[in-house]
Amino acid sequence: MSNATASRAFANLNGSAGRQQKAVTVDGVTLNGPLSDNRDGERFLEDAFQIIMNEAVKKGTDVTEKVCDWKEPGKLREMLDLELRETGENHERLLQRCHDVAKYSVKTSHPRFFNQLFAGLDHHSLAGRFLTEALNSSQYTYEVAPVFVLMEEVVLSTLRSLIGWDSGDGIFCPGGSISNLYAMNLARYRAFPEVKQRGLWAVPRLAVFTSKECHYSVGKSASVLGVGLQNVHAVKVDERGVMIPEDLDEQIEKAKSQGSVPFLVSATSGTTILGAFDPLDKIADVCEQHKLWFHVDAAWGGSALLSEKHKHLLKGIDRADSVAWNPHKMLMAGLQSSAFLMKDSSGLLKQCHSANATYLFQQDKFYDVSYDTGDKSIQCGRKVDCLKLWLMWKATGTLGLEQRVDRAFAYTRYLVEEMKKRGSFQLVVEPQFVNLCFWYVPPSLRGEEGSEGYQEKLSKVAPTIKERMVKKGSMMVGYQPHQDKVNFFRLVVISPQITRADLDFFLDEIESLGRDL
């Protein structure tokens, strides 16, 4: 049967071939024909895609282009004409809108964008994101997302195997913060399962333990779940930002003596600022002694597991009950790709979160309903986040991803050695990971360490240099104060587009922008 014959046969089955339908109007709305013209829509997509390729992909990775074309908020709003109106705009005007959005957005794929814990571009992952958006599926049942339900389990299983688990559970979440929320909710549910029905009436005063260097989402999770910020105990860290297990044990005992019930310890593998890795084996010993849920927030540092050279940083992670891992960071899977992984394989994740909605999770379907995984999530609609990682992994292979990790470490070491050769840079701490924290000390402040007003003057250096680089568009790197330390830069080098010349440019540009301070 030819394609044309098959198309006519399908149309005849639907009773729509070969006859003109009579116009029908309901409540003043004519129902004949589609509301929009697919041909016009397809033409717009083809033209818009060329703009995306040129402005976002090609120029976005071109080192000769600006990282950002800075405009003050009021000016930018006026230029973009963001107001929404009653009537639509024509094809050409909409394409110009797409062009302007790309032009005035920050180019996070640029080789000199060092501002966040994500950067760079993986083209295969981007293709996965395009495909996901075009298919516009929701990852909750096999009937609407058959490919992605199967794909997600394969990807999650592979990530679990890198942790060292041969079984378990998990789900992709909208960010590492939600993964940490899941861990806290599950830990509480395991300890007090009646909390799902009775709420906070069913639990005593609970206690969470994490380091002073933890991600702020641990506190947010405690607030959202009703545990309370006052019941998140900050464990001491050493000079590198690493949790001290002896203090953890002492704080757990103290909380118990004060009538609290400890239920969760959240360790960190790759802290946000200093890139510190907590000693997981020793923390696991404490958790086992006190029978506490052991969660590892490896959203940033988890990708070191792919490296034979550097996976020792996460030694003991296989003893965790749950792990948060964001492949959209170091592996460059693209926002967002955040996995919540569990050692438990008893169905605890679904038991804790399920609502058993009968319009979605019917138990008398014609296929195996265990593939309807959506009730594991606190969401209903859930984006497909596995495809971008899966397609990138298929293209690059595990060895290729390992090279990315090792290269990031090597580039960081190169920068450290180069900084030590120059008299203008001072390390905050020797890096454990790929977070390189440093001060730039301008000529006017060299040799003045310890003098009155030195710290205040030094604190103004990073913000001034940041303003200059952003307005110039030459590069972008973040800064922050931390504990008792005044503003310093945090450089993160992970993009596969980066060359050694970009790193040398970075050092030269910092010196150039701050020489007169």
Side-chain angles (χ1 to χ4, degrees), residues 398-516:
T398 305
L399 293 178
L401 297 180
E402 181 181 22
Q403 288 178 342
R404 290 184 181 179
V405 175
D406 289 344
R407 181 183 173 95
F409 274 91
Y411 270 162
T412 304
R413 179 47 49 191
Y414 172 80
L415 281 165
V416 167
E417 297 306 318
E418 289 299 306
M419 284 183 178
K420 289 179 178 178
K421 294 176 184 177
R422 308 188 185 203
S424 51
F425 297 96
Q426 180 183 343
L427 295 181
V428 175
V429 64
E430 283 283 342
Q432 276 188 275
F433 194 34
V434 296
N435 303 43
L436 180 50
C437 298
F438 67 93
W439 289 283
Y440 168 71
V441 183
S444 67
L445 293 180
R446 290 173 205 165
E448 299 296 318
E449 293 86 346
S451 64
E452 184 178 355
Y454 175 82
Q455 292 295 322
E456 182 181 356
K457 293 175 184 177
L458 183 63
S459 72
K460 297 176 181 178
V461 172
T464 302
I465 293 176
K466 175 67 176 280
E467 178 182 357
R468 291 176 176 182
M469 72 173 70
V470 169
K471 290 182 174 178
K472 183 179 178 182
S474 59
M475 59 188 191
M476 193 176 285
V477 62
Y479 74 87
Q480 65 284 301
H482 184 62
Q483 306 292 353
D484 60 343
K485 298 177 176 62
V486 299
N487 285 322
F488 57 87
F489 288 110
R490 181 201 61 177
L491 176 63
V492 178
V493 182
I494 55 175
S495 169
Q497 278 76 39
I498 290 174
T499 68
R500 185 168 60 85
D502 295 313
L503 304 184
D504 293 335
F505 173 87
F506 175 85
L507 299 176
D508 293 340
E509 184 74 349
I510 290 285
E511 290 182 324
S512 174
L513 294 171
R515 189 171 288 123
D516 64 333

Side-chain angles (χ1 to χ4, degrees), residues 163-182:
I163 291 172
W165 301 334
D166 56 12
S167 63
D169 206 345
I171 199 165
F172 275 91
C173 298
S177 294
I178 303 301
S179 294
N180 290 337
L181 177 73
Y182 272 33

Side-chain angles (χ1 to χ4, degrees), residues 6 16 69 117 256 337 347 367 376 426 501 503:
S16 59
D69 191 344
L117 299 182
K256 287 180 177 179
S337 180
Y367 59 84
K376 296 179 182 181
Q426 180 183 343
L503 304 184

Side-chain angles (χ1 to χ4, degrees), residues 149-166:
V149 165
L150 300 178
M151 183 183 291
E152 182 177 56
E153 180 46 42
V154 170
V155 174
L156 292 172
S157 177
T158 305
L159 294 175
R160 287 195 301 266
S161 69
L162 289 167
I163 291 172
W165 301 334
D166 56 12

Side-chain angles (χ1 to χ4, degrees), residues 122-137 139 145-156 159 172 327 332-338 382-396:
D122 182 278
H123 295 82
H124 297 96
S125 172
L126 182 58
R129 283 182 273 167
F130 287 156
L131 185 53
T132 296
E133 295 302 316
L135 291 170
N136 194 37
S137 189
Q139 180 115 18
V147 173
F148 302 129
V149 165
L150 300 178
M151 183 183 291
E152 182 177 56
E153 180 46 42
V154 170
V155 174
L156 292 172
L159 294 175
F172 275 91
M332 287 156 290
L335 289 165
Q336 60 195 18
S337 180
S338 303
R382 188 164 62 92
K383 275 183 70 72
V384 174
D385 288 329
C386 57
L387 175 59
K388 60 179 81 77
L389 176 57
W390 178 85
L391 192 59
M392 180 187 74
W393 208 317
K394 279 285 191 179
T396 309

